[in-house]
Amino acid sequence: MQGTVDPNKAALNYHNEEVVAPAHEEHPDLRLFGLLVFLGAESMIFLGLFVAYLTFRAVYPSWPPEGTPERELVLPAINTVILIASSFIIHNADTAIKKNDVKGLRTWFSITAIMGAVFLMGQLYEYSKLEFGLTTNLYASTFYVLTGFHGLHVFLGVCLILAVLWRAQKAGHYSDHDHFGVEAAELYWHFVDVVWIVLFILLYLL
Amino acid sequence: MTTQAEMQIAPSAHAHAERKWWHYFTFCEDHKVIGLQYLVTAFFFYAIGGALATAIRTELATPASDFVTPDTYNSLLTLHGTIMIFLWIIPAGAGLANYLIPLMIGARDMAFPKMNAMAFWMVPPSGIALVLSFFLESPQAGWTSYPPLSLMTGKVGEGIWIFSLLVAGTSSILGAINFLVTILKMRVPSMTIHQMPLFCWSMLATAGLILVGTPVLAGALILLAFDLLAGTSFFNPTGGGDPIVYQHMFWFYSHPAVYIMVLPLFGAISEILPVHARKPIFGYKAIAYSSLVISFLGLIVWAHHMFTSGTPAWLRMFFMITTMIIAVPTGIKVFGWLATIWGGKISFNSAMLFAMGFIAVFVIGGITGVMLAAVPFDIHVHDTYFVVAHLHYVLFGGSVFGIYAAIYHWFPKMTGRMVNETLGQIHFVLTFIGMNLTFMPMHELGLLGMNRRIAFYDARFTTLNQVATVGAYILAVSTVPFLINAVWSWVKGAKAVDNPWNALTLEWQTSSPPAIENFEVLPVLMTGPYDYGEHHSENGALPPSAEPVLTGSSSGS
Ligand code: HEM
Ligand SMILES: [Cu+2]
């Protein structure tokens, strides 16, 4: 172990006799794993914002601060139901494409996209009804920034779903063994859904 | 930059495409191109950051604020810190990782080449925006950008600063996803995780930190942007906000960021020392796992930057203890390195000089780090030049020395040319002297009570400041031999053989520079990465030069 090495002995030979042309080495599809890692990082942004929210809340003498106008509760509750339901709906698309049922995929994805759009519209409607604005007080600011940032993610999720729908028009683009786009959109959608559940509890129920 | 690129044509008859010089200016998905793009771009920003530092030291040569106005001084200081961290050291680490990881693990490229190129191309806009801000209205709140100060120094400059960091941060996250997935999933089949070069272990640890920490910084910056531009008051006490929350979020990223900046170089040093000392690395597993331990502990020490921010005593106790514990895995590495070179047949070439310089200087920074972790001491020297001395011993002595060591070590592989050793040694001597002359006096200045981040100072600090300024000028000069060496060697240096250092890791088992897809045939591992001086059973049977430590497998891997 302690000896030093003779440079000649360390010289490495690389046996070139059986050289083959460099094939574009096919490695297993790592995109789903990559997406999971990405979502892990994304959840850290939300986690950071959630903890910041909880800290603000803990430091403030009363929360929401005195004089914050009443919050809407029924509308966001309906919205929550819609979003959670859509997570089940989109899963049917996955089941469908695994049976090579592109039509089923299209149906379920379309329904999910519509539910997502309804959620966003509901969110905007809620904003319009609220009696506090972005800068009213600290509670109001966290409320708008958190829900807005989440809404942006819902919007992106809807865009992803629409992109998959667009591609699914071409016969054979997605099949039972090749449908990363479908899986990615679904995974993203579940992610957005889970974030919303936490957000709903934090902002409305606590 | 032009001719040498032509030389990068692989000697292989099978190379179906050639690397042209202009590929380096395009959206190219080859990890080797991206690696060099990162390194050269980062060095460009290093030159700018260095020029700013020279201006800062010139101002501080005299107690009065005479060279620049105090406002300009704040801008210089802010841009210097931000550029050095976010546009030099972090991208340089990403450049080394991009270049080396696939080669070291026997892969043809990164897992997601397109995303890799996207990550690189975010760096120039981020950096250019920051540099241009100097001419518009530059940010002045320091690299930490604490509110409420950062909300009061001008919307445009601070806005650009936030934008730049968000872009650089996104780039860093995309890069880290690639490193993590590539290291975990794309090793040649014959390489188990415990045969992976230590650089890959350290990048695994780095990628983990980036993925956990950077998003939280992004969260803080988003809230800061709302405060700045939309009139909210998350961090603004005037509107009922809490600036301490910003500090927590900022340091939750920025303490790990110090390890994001130094871990890749820990890895590089672990590669360089065994090769040039001709000895196996001492304690492979200890060094490998200590990177992961550092990552984990690095995530729970952040409030040692906030001992004076009203942090409750019990919490300070917690962070003091965790911070001191980090010295243990770091010490394990240092002792592993020392034991590696102990009794070795050391070649004192430029790479090795910088690597050994790294250990010497980094240890000083580590020791002052433990001192700072002690709450009573930190309260005394917080926001003084002692902290500046500490952070430069670890960032300059650690990261910058490490980057230079890595460049000298892998230059033959990257360019196919050898560096000029004499120029390299001059570079080392100037850097080592300049670095210590600049930052050593700052310890004393800090203990005497000189505050950081202020353009003027009490006249009794003059002498030590002038020593530091002379040191800074030496540092500025020290980059000249390096630049001449790098450019001249790249174009006209002696041709490098495939494995000039007789190293055992896989990147040396292919041509210099490697062909576009790295390996003609995927290598099969026959030896550990650091088995220098180990005797293999084949030795008796085969002539030494034919020792088949690696063989190509054509049978499709
Ligand atoms: C590994 C490389 C390291 C880097 C790159 C690094 C970097 C830094 C930086 C940039 C600061 C300045 C904070 C400011 O702006 O005030 C700092 C402060 C500090 N560092 Fe390190 N550090 C390293 C290692 C260590 C170690 C090993 C320890 C302890 C064991 C340590 C403990 C501290 C403490 C306690 C402070 C706070 C000083 C204060 O805020 O007054 N550091 N470090
Ligand atoms: Cu720290």
Side-chain angles (χ1 to χ4, degrees):
Chain A
M1 277 287 277
Q2 293 290 308
T4 50
V5 98
D6 173 349
N8 290 323
K9 282 192 190 156
L12 296 172
N13 287 317
Y14 184 28
H15 284 213
N16 277 343
E17 304 98 56
E18 312 165 278
V19 166
V20 288
H24 282 270
E25 216 57 36
E26 274 303 324
H27 55 78
D29 192 341
L30 299 171
R31 286 175 297 178
L32 209 58
F33 183 53
L35 180 64
L36 275 173
V37 177
F38 175 76
L39 291 180
E42 273 252 81
S43 37
M44 283 309 296
I45 302 194
F46 281 106
L47 197 68
L49 293 173
F50 293 165
V51 173
Y53 173 81
L54 287 173
T55 316
F56 289 137
R57 198 190 138 93
V59 172
Y60 244 71
S62 68
W63 195 264
E66 296 287 328
T68 309
E70 252 330 287
R71 289 169 290 171
E72 184 71 51
L73 195 62
V74 182
L75 193 62
I78 298 174
N79 245 351
T80 308
V81 174
I82 294 177
L83 204 61
I84 295 179
S86 73
S87 242
F88 289 95
I89 300 276
I90 200 171
H91 189 67
N92 289 323
D94 190 59
T95 321
I97 195 65
K98 285 203 174 114
K99 293 192 207 122
N100 240 335
D101 173 11
V102 179
K103 198 159 162 281
L105 162 73
R106 272 192 240 145
T107 317
W108 297 116
F109 259 51
S110 306
I111 299 178
T112 315
I114 291 168
M115 291 172 92
V118 169
F119 174 91
L120 284 175
M121 249 116 77
Q123 184 90 68
L124 288 178
Y125 180 71
E126 184 191 347
Y127 284 176
S128 72
K129 298 275 284 202
L130 285 174
E131 280 158 33
F132 53 80
L134 176 65
T135 55
T136 304
N137 61 24
L138 189 56
Y139 171 79
S141 306
T142 47
F143 174 86
Y144 279 106
V145 170
L146 283 173
T147 53
F149 193 56
H150 174 265
L152 190 70
H153 282 73
V154 178
F155 179 73
L156 283 177
V158 172
C159 292
L160 270 179
I161 292 175
L162 292 179
V164 171
L165 278 173
W166 177 261
R167 288 185 174 185
Q169 289 177 326
K170 207 171 83 195
H173 190 91
Y174 295 112
S175 64
D176 50 354
H177 57 271
D178 180 17
H179 50 267
F180 167 71
V182 178
E183 284 179 306
E186 186 193 340
L187 195 63
Y188 193 80
W189 196 253
H190 292 319
F191 169 75
V192 167
D193 196 10
V194 171
V195 171
W196 175 255
I197 295 173
V198 181
L199 200 56
F200 182 72
I201 295 173
L202 284 182
L203 288 179
Y204 297 93
L205 302 186
L206 274 190
Chain B
M1 275 278 287
T2 57
T3 37
Q4 95 291 341
E6 250 99 36
M7 299 317 299
Q8 304 221 343
I9 303 164
S12 150
H14 299 285
H16 38 50
E18 289 171 12
R19 192 53 71 215
K20 296 279 198 320
W21 64 267
W22 48 264
H23 287 154
Y24 288 86
F25 296 89
T26 59
F27 189 91
C28 177
E29 297 177 17
D30 181 342
H31 73 99
K32 298 184 292 301
V33 174
I34 296 173
L36 289 176
Q37 284 175 327
Y38 265 113
L39 281 170
V40 173
T41 311
F43 199 88
F44 171 78
F45 286 116
Y46 180 41
I48 296 178
L52 297 170
T54 312
I56 292 175
R57 280 315 321 170
T58 305
E59 165 58 54
L60 292 177
T62 56
S65 161
D66 39 19
F67 178 61
V68 291
T69 64
D71 271 351
T72 314
Y73 182 85
N74 292 345
S75 312
L76 292 174
L77 172 113
T78 303
L79 289 179
H80 162 74
T82 312
I83 289 177
M84 287 302 192
I85 289 175
F86 293 99
L87 293 155
W88 156 233
I89 295 182
I90 294 181
L96 289 172
N98 262 304
Y99 198 94
L100 295 172
I101 290 173
L103 286 166
M104 283 182 165
I105 62 173
R108 300 221 183 269
D109 208 315
M110 296 292 256
F112 311 111
K114 195 168 282 164
M115 195 168 83
N116 205 16
M118 264 161 56
F120 166 73
W121 282 103
M122 290 181 179
V123 175
S126 154
I128 290 168
L130 205 58
V131 173
L132 288 185
S133 78
F134 191 75
F135 304 100
L136 283 170
E137 174 197 273
S138 71
Q140 291 196 17
W143 83 278
T144 49
S145 212
Y146 278 6
L149 177 65
S150 52
L151 301 173
M152 298 168 8
T153 47
K155 281 192 166 61
V156 179
E158 187 62 22
I160 297 177
W161 185 88
I162 294 175
F163 165 82
S164 282
L165 257 69
L166 283 174
V167 176
T170 310
S171 153
S172 183
I173 291 176
L174 296 183
I177 295 175
N178 246 318
F179 303 150
L180 190 85
V181 176
T182 308
I183 294 171
L184 289 180
K185 299 282 187 185
M186 291 189 44
R187 299 189 307 276
V188 275
S190 56
M191 184 185 280
T192 66
I193 197 140
H194 286 121
Q195 289 164 327
M196 187 166 83
L198 288 165
F199 180 76
C200 300
W201 278 99
S202 72
M203 281 316 300
L204 204 58
T206 309
L209 282 178
I210 294 177
L211 291 168
V212 175
T214 318
V216 177
L217 175 70
L221 293 179
I222 291 169
L223 297 184
L224 189 66
F226 270 96
D227 277 3
L228 184 75
L229 305 171
T232 56
S233 42
F234 294 109
F235 303 135
N236 196 344
T238 326
D242 188 354
I244 300 297
V245 174
Y246 174 86
Q247 294 188 15
H248 278 295
M249 294 178 88
F250 179 83
W251 286 112
F252 182 81
Y253 165 75
S254 290
H255 181 81
V258 307
Y259 292 103
I260 293 171
M261 288 185 272
V262 87
L263 274 169
L265 293 319
F266 282 177
I269 297 299
S270 306
E271 300 299 330
I272 296 168
L273 294 175
V275 174
H276 299 286
R278 312 309 302 162
K279 274 189 55 201
I281 189 89
F282 184 92
Y284 171 90
K285 279 195 182 168
I287 294 184
Y289 292 152
S290 63
S291 296
L292 302 184
V293 175
I294 288 178
S295 275
F296 171 72
L297 289 174
L299 287 167
I300 50 167
V301 301
W302 76 89
H304 63 217
H305 297 272
M306 299 167 59
F307 285 153
T308 57
S309 304
T311 311
W314 61 272
L315 206 57
R316 292 202 297 208
M317 208 57 150
F318 171 81
F319 282 105
M320 166 169 140
I321 292 169
T322 51
T323 305
M324 288 187 172
I325 293 177
I326 284 217
V328 176
T330 314
I332 290 178
K333 280 184 190 291
V334 172
F335 285 116
W337 294 329
L338 293 179
T340 302
I341 56 176
W342 187 266
K345 214 188 222 172
I346 300 178
S347 352
F348 289 93
N349 53 30
S350 320
M352 193 61 173
L353 285 174
F354 271 103
M356 298 196 323
F358 170 100
I359 303 180
V361 194
F362 180 79
V363 164
I364 298 179
I367 291 172
T368 53
V370 179
M371 294 167 73
L372 287 167
V375 178
F377 183 80
D378 183 72
I379 290 173
H380 182 65
V381 296
H382 178 67
D383 245 335
T384 70
Y385 265 82
F386 193 86
V387 173
V388 181
H390 158 71
L391 68 95
H392 283 95
Y393 266 84
V394 282
L395 284 176
F396 198 109
S399 305
V400 179
F401 273 53
I403 294 170
Y404 278 136
I407 291 177
Y408 282 115
H409 181 71
W410 281 290
F411 194 89
K413 183 51 64 183
M414 292 174 170
T415 64
R417 307 278 185 158
M418 301 303 285
V419 288
N420 179 306
E421 282 300 332
T422 314
L423 281 174
Q425 281 152 4
I426 295 174
H427 175 214
F428 172 74
V429 172
L430 287 177
T431 312
F432 193 80
I433 295 175
M435 191 262 153
N436 283 293
L437 215 53
T438 313
F439 300 114
M440 191 58 89
M442 291 184 190
H443 290 110
E444 192 177 341
L445 284 170
L447 292 173
L448 292 172
M450 178 174 165
N451 281 322
R452 59 192 286 219
R453 292 183 170 168
I454 297 180
F456 31 79
Y457 52 84
D458 196 290
R460 72 199 153 103
F461 300 133
T462 314
T463 319
L464 285 173
N465 269 297
Q466 283 172 346
V467 174
T469 299
V470 171
Y473 291 156
I474 296 179
L475 278 181
V477 172
S478 78
T479 48
V480 175
F482 171 75
L483 275 175
I484 295 175
N485 198 357
V487 174
W488 186 81
S489 302
W490 205 336
V491 180
K492 283 219 146 63
K495 285 263 167 57
V497 294
D498 292 354
N499 190 359
W501 317 124
N502 290 315
L504 289 171
T505 40
L506 290 184
E507 78 273 25
W508 299 104
Q509 317 315 329
T510 184
S511 49
S512 291
I516 286 188
E517 294 219 308
N518 296 350
F519 300 94
E520 286 180 21
V521 285
L522 285 187
V524 172
L525 229 52
M526 304 279 281
T527 164
Y530 309 108
D531 291 349
Y532 302 102
E534 305 242 298
H535 293 280
H536 294 280
S537 50
E538 305 98 293
N539 264 0
L542 293 165
S545 58
E547 186 179 345
V549 274
L550 282 163
T551 54
S553 81
S554 55
S555 49
S557 20

